[in-house]
Amino acid sequence: MGLTAGIVGLPNVGKSTLFNAITKQNILAANYPFATIDPNVGVVTVPDKRLDFLANLYQPASLVPTSIEFTDIAGLVKGASTGEGLGNKFLSHIREVDAIVEVVRCFDDKNIIHVENCVDPIRDIEIIEVELILADLEIIENRISKIGKKAALSQDKEVKKEAELLTRLKKALEANQTIRSLSLEDEELKMIKAFNLLTLKPIIYMANVSEEDLLSGSNSYVSKVQEYASKKNAKVIVVCAKVESELSDLSEEEKKSFLQELGVSESGLDQLIKATYSLLGLETFFTAGSDEVRAWTFKTGMKAPQCAGIIHTDFERGFIKAEIMSYEDLNQYGSEKAVKEAGKMRLEGKDYLMRDGDICYFRFNV
């Protein structure tokens, strides 16, 4: 499944430095606005210790982790929705992602220019939120103008439903509410899916702090962001872009040692990758054998045939059964043979809801 998260924020908040660390790509990270003009894209693996166990057990010729695509989108500024700072172009890039990661500056540094001349994370968050709201409002108003008269005169129930929904969304946006904050039914979400509304996309706030504040665990800016995010049912990840940049150049062993010295169990970027995976409602199933051990991404709530279709459409079309064992059982018993002898290997049919950690062999006939 191709899944993407867009990294956004005002200029000079540390977006590109963090993106460099995430993907180990050396893109331009300069101390002035719009150092990143075109969106930079990098594919990163989702950390999963279960893969290490499976690789040791099966000794496969190939090991394939699951991944998420991160897009570094150039800094937005006030007025982006009306074209300021190449805003319309940047907003179009955000429409293409599945989730938004907003980097918020939570550090003081006189040597790094702030586009608003002082550090205020809540103001920065609200600047971007307003621009996204205004951009969505324009999309909604354009659609209303196209179908408004038709809805008033037509007897088509679907057109009337859409017009009523759009009017409701318009009122919410005009009241400075995001679409994600509304309680929309599945049918309503389907109606507006094609619009790729920016404020409907799930969001994570990434508080970028200094190295000193990361070590101390105390930062008044972060506290404000956390308070703000809690009201929006959003998650906050605290990270130091400078530290993450240094970590990205280290081997796994060196990275573990460095994190221990910092008193941190997991890097901020690993937390981000996992949080983004969770935010999108994603889980992992595995296929395992001597040829290949592979992690596959699926949406929570998918059934066995749909997951088989992620591997190949023929698997879904000709689905018969899924032979499944859980990672926990395999880890406990130590081998497929022992799992079978313990009666923990299962045959599941078309209505089986896949679970995170399922290890599968799909039976099909086309």
Side-chain angles (χ1 to χ4, degrees):
M1 298 178 72
L3 298 152
T4 61
I7 302 175
V8 305
L10 294 177
N12 296 339
V13 297
K15 291 187 299 74
S16 295
T17 302
L18 285 166
F19 180 81
N20 288 350
I22 289 174
T23 61
K24 297 185 180 179
Q25 291 187 31
N26 187 27
I27 60 169
L28 179 63
N31 180 24
Y32 54 87
F34 315 124
T36 311
I37 300 301
D38 295 318
N40 294 273
V41 178
V43 177
V44 296
T45 59
V46 177
D48 196 328
K49 292 179 181 177
R50 295 173 297 185
L51 267 182
D52 297 332
F53 171 82
L54 294 174
N56 286 330
L57 183 64
Y58 288 94
Q59 297 293 310
S62 173
L63 180 67
V64 185
T66 189
S67 62
I68 292 181
E69 187 177 281
F70 280 94
T71 302
D72 178 37
I73 298 165
L76 293 168
V77 293
K78 191 182 292 184
S81 59
T82 57
E84 287 295 322
L86 305 180
N88 284 326
K89 182 179 179 182
F90 299 158
L91 289 170
S92 71
H93 296 318
I94 304 174
R95 291 202 186 281
E96 296 167 10
V97 304
D98 299 300
I100 295 172
V101 177
E102 182 172 339
V103 181
V104 185
R105 179 169 168 175
C106 292
F107 65 89
D108 292 307
D109 188 334
K110 293 179 181 178
N111 296 317
I112 299 179
I113 303 162
H114 192 292
V115 72
E116 293 291 326
N117 298 317
C118 66
V119 177
D120 183 342
I122 304 306
R123 176 207 57 211
D124 295 354
I125 289 172
E126 289 177 343
I127 284 173
I128 288 183
E129 186 167 280
V130 166
E131 295 306 322
L132 301 185
I133 284 173
L134 290 173
D136 279 353
L137 187 58
E138 182 180 3
I139 295 286
I140 297 296
E141 287 177 335
N142 287 342
R143 180 61 180 168
I144 288 174
S145 68
K146 286 181 181 177
I147 69 164
K149 289 182 181 178
K150 182 180 178 182
L153 300 172
S154 173
Q155 297 302 311
D156 189 325
K157 291 182 180 179
E158 293 304 311
V159 174
K160 286 183 178 295
K161 278 184 184 178
E162 182 184 355
E164 288 170 4
L165 174 59
L166 293 174
T167 301
R168 178 182 160 202
L169 299 184
K170 180 174 181 288
K171 288 179 180 177
L173 292 167
E174 288 174 337
N176 245 20
Q177 285 182 275
T178 60
I179 304 301
R180 82 175 72 86
S181 69
L182 305 178
S183 298
L184 298 180
E185 302 290 336
D186 288 343
E187 184 184 355
E188 293 173 323
L189 290 170
K190 285 179 184 177
M191 282 186 201
I192 60 175
K193 184 178 180 181
F195 301 141
N196 278 328
L197 296 173
L198 301 173
T199 65
L200 179 59
K201 297 180 186 297
I203 191 166
I204 292 174
Y205 296 104
M206 200 161 192
N208 186 15
V209 302
S210 67
E211 188 172 353
E212 293 76 16
D213 286 350
L214 181 69
L215 292 171
S216 70
S218 175
N219 182 297
S220 60
Y221 294 138
V222 171
S223 298
K224 290 177 182 177
V225 174
Q226 289 171 331
E227 183 181 351
Y228 179 91
S230 68
K231 295 174 183 176
K232 306 281 185 177
N233 292 318
K235 186 165 187 174
V236 178
I237 293 174
V238 180
V239 66
C240 173
K242 183 182 176 184
V243 167
E244 298 299 332
S245 184
E246 292 171 1
L247 282 170
S248 69
D249 294 325
L250 302 178
S251 68
E252 281 304 308
E253 285 304 312
E254 290 171 329
K255 181 178 173 181
K256 286 178 184 176
S257 177
F258 189 16
L259 288 172
Q260 284 176 352
E261 289 176 18
L262 293 174
V264 178
S265 61
E266 191 175 34
S267 76
L269 295 180
D270 281 351
Q271 292 178 55
L272 170 64
I273 293 166
K274 288 180 179 178
T276 305
Y277 201 70
S278 174
L279 181 71
L280 292 171
L282 306 176
E283 295 181 306
T284 302
F285 74 88
F286 302 94
T287 51
S290 58
D291 290 338
E292 180 185 80
V293 166
R294 182 164 185 156
W296 301 87
T297 301
F298 71 99
K299 290 231 176 209
T300 304
M302 287 178 73
K303 294 183 178 180
Q306 293 173 288
C307 286
I310 292 171
I311 299 174
H312 197 287
T313 53
D314 283 349
F315 285 21
E316 181 174 7
R317 188 158 55 93
F319 180 88
I320 300 171
K321 292 281 184 181
E323 189 174 321
I324 294 175
M325 59 181 163
S326 72
Y327 168 80
E328 288 76 15
D329 287 338
L330 183 59
N331 190 29
Q332 179 183 346
Y333 293 102
S335 71
E336 282 191 24
K337 182 181 177 183
V339 171
K340 288 178 180 177
E341 289 173 350
K344 297 292 185 178
M345 186 77 77
R346 317 183 306 273
L347 272 181
E348 301 289 358
K350 293 182 178 180
D351 292 329
Y352 175 70
L353 286 173
M354 291 285 286
R355 300 172 188 168
D356 184 59
D358 279 347
I359 302 168
C360 310
Y361 174 76
F362 294 106
R363 298 181 184 181
F364 71 102
N365 183 32
V366 179

